[in-house]
Amino acid sequence: DEDGNFYTGDIADKINVLKNITLSSVDCGKLIFETLLDGTSIPVQAVVQGATPSKPEDPKHDGFVFAGWFADKDYKTPFDWTATITEDVSAYAKWNVTYIDQNGKLQIKDGSEYTMLTNGAAASDLSGGWYVVAENMEFDGFSSTSDVNIIVADGASLKSTNSLIAQNIAIYGQKNQNGSIMVSGDNGIVANGNIVIVGGNITATANDNGLYA
């Protein structure tokens, strides 16, 4: 309005207040916060085009360490809070994850060094490397010729209806050791080299082998 006030949403109950005011449309962009973890959602922020967004409070999640907002999914470019918004954009939360290693010590894996597994993940998504299960999810198994390392967050679970097969397989729990992996299929969990399990509840049932290395 003429005083510089900005109105959004349903204004039906404000008609009496606004009856002598001429409203004009304002182009806005949306800032979408991609937080990835359950319980950490942040509402979409409407930003007048040409204005700068407001940085929200850092989200928190047990077992994870928030490591900043980024403009890309690969965490290469930090999000610029001083840049004006000209279109809809996303800010991606980077989470470093904690786990217990073979020596019983707490370790932190950088958020750019692992892939977060979610429902609907394909077997091809586990070609090798580090993966994190942070929710209750179902999976169709995988067969990889590389090493696979899986961190199962406290309270999370992975249920696979087919075997997990890799060169070497390591499964790590977090502080409370109450994440779980349940595997069925012809061969359960199979490694051509070694299987290392550090914490969590691991169940492998199979027609031939449960755990085999």
Side-chain angles (χ1 to χ4, degrees):
D1 62 22
E2 68 271 16
D3 295 321
N5 296 311
F6 179 58
Y7 302 92
T8 61
D10 185 357
I11 60 172
D13 60 342
K14 302 181 180 65
I15 294 300
N16 289 333
V17 176
L18 302 176
K19 62 183 179 181
N20 296 320
I21 297 174
T22 300
L23 298 178
S24 58
S25 62
V26 177
D27 291 332
C28 292
K30 291 187 295 185
L31 175 55
I32 302 167
F33 296 97
E34 304 285 357
T35 56
L36 300 178
L37 295 172
D38 288 344
T40 62
S41 62
I42 297 174
V44 172
Q45 191 177 123
V47 184
V48 176
Q49 289 191 2
T52 57
S54 299
K55 185 179 180 180
E57 291 186 10
D58 292 348
K60 294 179 172 59
H61 196 286
D62 288 344
F64 292 80
V65 180
F66 179 69
W69 293 103
F70 288 78
D72 60 295
K73 295 179 180 180
D74 296 325
Y75 313 123
K76 301 292 186 184
T77 306
F79 192 87
D80 185 358
W81 298 99
T82 66
T84 57
I85 296 294
T86 59
E87 59 185 352
D88 293 352
V89 296
S90 294
Y92 299 89
K94 179 181 178 181
W95 296 97
N96 298 338
V97 61
T98 65
Y99 67 99
I100 306 299
D101 69 10
Q102 293 95 321
N103 299 313
K105 294 183 177 181
L106 183 68
Q107 301 291 342
I108 296 179
K109 176 63 66 173
D110 189 274
S112 62
E113 298 176 348
Y114 70 82
T115 298
M116 188 85 73
L117 293 180
T118 57
N119 276 312
S124 58
D125 294 335
L126 279 85
S127 57
W130 286 79
Y131 303 89
V132 172
V133 177
E135 60 183 27
N136 297 325
M137 61 166 292
E138 295 187 0
F139 189 68
D140 195 32
F142 63 84
S143 180
S144 173
T145 57
S146 300
D147 296 344
V148 171
N149 304 274
I150 303 174
I151 299 172
V152 187
D154 285 336
S157 67
L158 182 151
K159 182 182 294 184
S160 176
T161 54
N162 283 303
S163 305
L164 307 184
I165 303 173
Q167 180 63 33
N168 295 288
I169 298 177
I171 299 171
Y172 301 93
Q174 290 188 319
K175 179 179 65 176
N176 295 325
Q177 303 287 290
N178 59 12
S180 66
I181 291 181
M182 293 160 284
V183 180
S184 58
D186 289 338
N187 292 295
I189 300 176
V190 177
N192 294 322
N194 298 312
I195 297 174
V196 175
I197 298 175
V198 185
N201 300 304
I202 311 301
T203 303
T205 59
N207 295 330
D208 294 325
N209 303 297
L211 296 173
Y212 181 79

